[in-house]
Structures are given as C-alpha cells and as structure tokens.
Amino acid sequence: MLTAPAPERPQIFFHVRDMTSLQSADAVKGALMRLDDRATVRIDLSMRRVEIDPTSAEPSAFREAIATAGYTSVRQWPSDSAYL
C-alpha cells in the first residue's frame, strides 16, 4: 500500500504593527511557539513582519496567539504576494 506524504501547510504572514522592540518580537515569537512548538517562526523587526511555517495550527489560531500576547496583527498576506 502506497502512502502519500502529508501536504505541506502554507506559510502564514502577519504584520504586527506594535511589535517595535526585541522584547516585543520575543514575546510574539514565544506566543507563537507555545501554540505550535515545531513551527518555524521568522521575524523581521524592521518591517514588523512575522513569517510562520506551521506544523499544526491554523492561521486564525496564530492571529489569536498574537492578540493574547498583547499585540495587534493588522494584515495577513498570502504567501504568493508577501513582498508586493
């Protein structure tokens, strides 16, 4: 019996308007990692951009984790237009 590999989850992109310091970036990253501890989270602090390669959680759960940490996610980009 052949088994197909599990489909990859698409990347998730957020702009976090009030993420302005290393401390806030660490807080956001920590909140996201608590949600999905195997996710890859990259933060570009100068752009206030968060890029997530999730393994289990959905985009809405990541947005909620950011809000619970006390930050505002104002935009989510689809991966194909992230840099437009």
Side-chain angles (χ1 to χ4, degrees), residues 47-74:
M47 301 263 314
R48 300 179 189 165
R49 187 169 189 274
V50 177
E51 180 178 320
I52 308 160
D53 293 323
T55 62
S56 62
E58 296 298 319
S60 60
F62 285 107
R63 182 180 299 246
E64 188 173 313
I66 291 169
T68 299
Y71 298 92
T72 308
S73 170
V74 295

Side-chain angles (χ1 to χ4, degrees), residues 2-80:
L2 280 175
T3 59
E8 288 188 36
R9 290 182 170 270
Q11 288 181 313
I12 303 167
F13 301 89
F14 290 105
H15 176 76
V16 183
R17 177 179 31 200
D18 44 359
M19 183 177 66
T20 59
S21 66
L22 289 176
Q23 182 180 5
S24 59
D26 286 343
V28 168
K29 185 172 184 175
L32 298 173
M33 295 302 294
R34 281 189 295 280
L35 178 65
D36 182 350
D37 65 346
R38 293 183 298 140
T40 301
V41 177
R42 289 176 291 283
I43 293 180
D44 181 340
L45 187 56
S46 65
M47 301 263 314
R48 300 179 189 165
R49 187 169 189 274
V50 177
E51 180 178 320
I52 308 160
D53 293 323
T55 62
S56 62
E58 296 298 319
S60 60
F62 285 107
R63 182 180 299 246
E64 188 173 313
I66 291 169
T68 299
Y71 298 92
T72 308
S73 170
V74 295
R75 184 172 177 194
Q76 178 182 351
W77 293 279
S79 59
D80 58 338

